[in-house]
Amino acid sequence: MAEFTMELNDEQKEVRDWLHGFAADVIRPAAAEWDEREETPWPVIQEAAKVGIYSLDFYAQQYFDPTGLGIPMAMEELFWGDAGIALSIVGTGLAAVGVLANGTEEQIGTWIPQMYGDAGDVKVAAFCSSEPDAGSDVASMRTRAVYDEAKDEWVLNGTKTWATNGGIANVHVVVAVVDPELGSKGHASFIIPPGTEGLSQGQKFKKHGIRASHTAEVVLDNVRVPGSCLLGGKEKLDERLARAREKARQGGERVKNAAMATFEASRPAVGAMAVGTARAAYEVALDYATTREQFGRPIVDNQGVAFQLADMRTSIDAARLLVWRASWMAVNGKPFTAAEGSMSKLFASETAKKVTGQAIQILGGNGYTREYPVERMHRDAAIYTIFEGTSEIQRLVIARTLAGVPIR
Ligand SMILES: Cc1cc2nc3c(=O)[nH]c(=O)nc-3n(C[C@H](O)[C@H](O)[C@H](O)COP(=O)(O)OP(=O)(O)OC[C@H]3O[C@@H](n4cnc5c(N)ncnc54)[C@H](O)[C@@H]3O)c2cc1C
């Protein structure tokens, strides 16, 4: 187990500086253009692939960093550059983690390389769980996967929504119901290989922020995939379902939900994205406040402006500390007895929303225009309080964990 530290080691500092350079030189200058175009920034993803940032190797190296600081550090730097573009770069990693966490070695080796493609022909992947009637309430999912034993195939039907990279992905990871009696314990994840018949993109959403990131519905109409596309394999699924049925027969359970533990481990990464956006807006505001003069002096000489900057920086640093703590806990297998992962995501995302709003205020009229980046950052920041569980759901998870009652 790695000791908790707030200091990056030399290797981490080198990676951070390299990522910061990419974020400053490649991502930030492209941000306004792709926000306006509302399209996936393929040339930027390609650049990231060329230098090694868009790859499983890079992602896995940060993911398995024993200090737990690899992923939050990487997310903060990339999202400091721009949230929409950064999500286009890391969105595939989020789908890949689903395969890394639940897939067999063969599935990991077969599908993850196809999720990324290569620098000459980059691909993206999508993770599709949310549905029109199953957002916060994941258990009410309807997409159904039925096993056709004679052909050793699964048949999937349903509509997924809000899928990042949905419909443009080379590989889709789809969560579906395999046993409706078991609620969220009756779900399983499937790989939908490139070019599979019956999968199509529905509506592409026009969004308030992170507009460079593609978000769309994914329609599954009699999608047939080989048995080998069930993540983890049939034997493991049958064992898991049998255990869940047995527990249900015994009259419910108060044991910890494994899916919830996974969320606790993944939520700090979203917190780190929020820290990156908040820090970016704070830096623009600080710079502006020290150079913009009114009444014959820089506006930062007014306590009303200076105190806002003090509060912004304090919240950002506090958010980062919560994120780093939760990431360290996740990597070192510490139990989340107070839902520390959810805490970090809640605080960091609310901080990003607030700080980017304060940045607009400090820039005055300029802050309200697209001539300056804080307007975009404020629109982008709103997503952090919504995806990977809304702020209300984080509070619900924290409160129920503290009270010792089941999450659902
Ligand atoms: C840009 C974007 C990208 C996304 N990417 C993905 C993706 O790649 N894959 C994927 O599967 N999903 C993705 N999502 C979906 C996202 O996770 C959901 O939008 C989110 O979980 C909320 O679900 P919902 O939108 O249905 O809102 P609802 O669940 O309908 O919630 C609406 C409001 O009610 C509140 N609420 C609901 N239940 C409670 C409760 N019990 N107590 C208090 N308040 C409650 C919520 O907090 C919210 O304020 C994405 C969403 C967006 C907007």
Side-chain angles (χ1 to χ4, degrees), residues 87 91 94-95 125-138 141 160-166 173 175 205 207-210 213-216 267 345 382-383 385-396 400 408:
L87 189 62
L94 303 178
F127 178 76
C128 313
S129 170
S130 303
E131 296 181 2
D133 292 324
S136 302
D137 184 8
V138 180
M141 184 179 290
K160 293 293 176 184
T161 193
W162 305 122
T164 299
N165 296 334
V173 178
V175 186
F205 295 103
K207 306 194 298 295
H208 177 60
I210 54 161
S213 170
H214 172 102
T215 317
R267 281 178 177 154
K345 198 256 179 189
I383 191 57
T385 65
I386 296 173
F387 68 7
E388 281 268 326
T390 64
S391 284
E392 291 75 22
I393 294 302
Q394 309 304 323
R395 290 189 179 96
L396 191 139
R400 289 190 179 169
R408 286 193 49 87

Side-chain angles (χ1 to χ4, degrees), residues 291-299 301-302:
T291 50
R292 168 72 174 169
E293 292 196 0
Q294 284 293 275
F295 302 99
R297 57 185 190 171
I299 57 170
D301 283 359
N302 300 290

